[in-house]
Amino acid sequence: MSLLPGGVSVSHLRVYDWPAPDGVGRAGSGSPHLHTASAEAYVVLGGSGAVHTLGPDGFVEHRLAAGDVVRFDPGVVHRAVNDGDLEVLVVMGNAGLPEAGDAVLTFPPDVLADPAAYRAAALLPGPGASDDELAAAARRRRDLALEGYAVLLDDVRRLGPAQALRPLHEAAARLVRPYVPHWQDRWTRTVLHETDGTARALEGLVRGAAGHLASARVREARPDPAPRRYGMCGRLQTWPLG
């Protein structure tokens, strides 16, 4: 069961301050990507910037300030843009799925069409890599995603969002398909398990029964003590999923 209610996970994001090749963001930007099964929300903690989205409404810039909340459904391409010290609490649905490969980056079409090439471009160096090596690999990954994103932006302007995004969505489905049986098992044991628990509690309460209250527990967690990892859009501090 997920530590947080509703089967969600949270992480603290410091958006990359690496200058972007296309000049977007006074400080820098993250990697444009989408999620195939999980919704995501940004709760802005501080700093300034924006999140750029590509979805049914085409390109939209959402300006961000402390206290703002923006949600993206699966399939919406999003890119965090840092104008200065942008920090966000990231809330992800389906805790465990995003961490298991639910995100797909907007690499150029030839990379998206080749699962081996996609994995080689998306994966960061493993254990033993220095922070400099990890940072360089994450930046190369971001810049390659921006190459494909530029093509996608042009297609959205020429063809409209529905036609332009369809090939990306189809490629994303092909890339994640091998992992879906594992996701189904994980989701059933976590999110569905919690939802079923709520359903059973409501069924009992409507009869005046409250047996589930006797088994209540308290759970707590501390942030992962490891160095912040390199995420899609910045450095992440994470908490155990439970």
Side-chain angles (χ1 to χ4, degrees), residues 64-234:
L64 300 178
D68 290 346
V69 178
V70 183
R71 170 190 161 131
F72 329 110
D73 287 338
V76 173
V77 176
H78 47 286
R79 173 194 187 185
V81 174
N82 187 357
D83 287 333
D85 301 321
L86 183 60
E87 296 192 16
V88 173
L89 186 70
V90 180
V91 182
M92 292 294 317
N94 299 324
L97 271 60
E99 295 77 10
D102 177 39
V104 173
L105 291 139
T106 58
F107 290 150
D110 60 322
V111 179
L112 291 172
D114 183 342
Y118 181 89
R119 285 193 299 273
L123 290 177
L124 299 181
S130 69
D131 188 70
D132 286 345
E133 290 170 328
L134 288 167
R139 190 164 182 171
R140 286 194 300 271
R141 180 175 70 179
R142 190 277 308 264
D143 292 351
L144 185 62
L146 286 175
E147 286 184 30
Y149 182 70
V151 175
L152 188 60
L153 273 175
D154 185 59
D155 287 345
V156 167
R157 297 186 186 104
R158 291 188 304 107
L159 306 173
Q163 188 174 344
L165 288 168
R166 188 177 302 117
L168 172 62
H169 291 166
E170 291 172 350
R174 289 192 300 270
L175 287 166
V176 304
R177 185 178 181 184
Y179 312 114
V180 174
H182 170 65
W183 293 356
Q184 290 173 315
D185 176 66
R186 195 165 189 165
W187 182 85
T188 299
R189 289 185 287 106
T190 56
V191 181
L192 182 60
H193 176 78
E194 185 157 332
T195 301
D196 283 348
T198 300
R200 290 191 298 272
L202 293 174
E203 290 168 2
L205 289 170
V206 79
R207 300 191 308 270
H212 64 287
L213 299 180
S215 60
R217 296 172 55 199
V218 176
R219 300 172 178 84
E220 59 181 314
R222 301 286 181 269
D224 188 334
R228 286 176 177 261
R229 65 183 181 87
Y230 288 90
M232 297 292 180
C233 283

